[in-house]
Amino acid sequence: MTLFSKIINGDIPSDKVYEDQECYAFRDINPQAPVHILVVPRKEIPNVGAAGKDEKMLLGHLLSTAAEIAASQGLADSGYRLVINTGADGGQTVDHLHIHILGGRPMAWPPG
Ligand code: AMP
């Protein structure tokens, strides 16, 4: 079981922001911005590249849910960044697909 599955099932505590039948969102334990939330599918998909054809609806749901959560956090007007780190070069440290929602400060480009 992945770290995030343990969070979703309550074995590890989290600061929950949102949940539905497909996904669970909680505040990152090491926030990189005033708002830093992770949106995680309940299904243990290792990364975005590992998502199958049957999971296209789920990927869309995760993205639209991330936008809704960002709006619920008051970020719609100021803007925000959605990030999906993938693999070693992408900086992924937890092999369970997740979208980072980062907001509440201006973001630099290019990313590090
Ligand atoms: P990534 O590096 O893209 O795989 O992102 C993994 C994220 O999970 C990092 O931003 C971590 O700070 C975060 N994280 C790790 N453990 C926890 C936890 N127990 N609760 C909340 N966030 C966590």
Side-chain angles (χ1 to χ4, degrees):
M1 188 182 291
T2 69
L3 172 71
F4 289 164
S5 287
K6 290 175 185 167
I7 286 175
I8 291 168
N9 72 23
D11 287 348
I12 295 173
S14 65
D15 187 356
K16 183 179 80 173
V17 176
Y18 172 86
E19 68 175 322
D20 62 29
Q21 288 190 328
E22 303 292 339
C23 66
Y24 185 94
F26 54 100
R27 295 190 189 280
D28 197 292
I29 202 168
N30 183 23
Q32 301 301 311
V35 177
H36 188 173
I37 294 167
L38 304 175
V39 184
V40 183
R42 294 183 185 277
K43 187 167 185 178
E44 286 187 345
I45 301 168
N47 60 60
V48 70
K53 286 182 181 171
D54 292 347
E55 284 148 357
K56 288 187 177 182
M57 288 283 287
L58 174 58
L59 294 181
H61 178 71
L62 295 173
L63 193 56
S64 61
T65 299
E68 288 170 10
I69 293 170
S72 79
Q73 297 293 312
L75 300 175
D77 289 341
S78 54
Y80 54 91
R81 183 169 292 174
L82 303 181
V83 173
I84 303 176
N85 295 327
T86 305
D89 278 2
Q92 184 175 9
T93 59
V94 178
D95 290 332
H96 185 155
L97 174 62
H98 49 284
I99 300 176
H100 295 257
I101 303 170
L102 295 152
R105 65 166 173 82
M107 299 290 151
W109 192 262

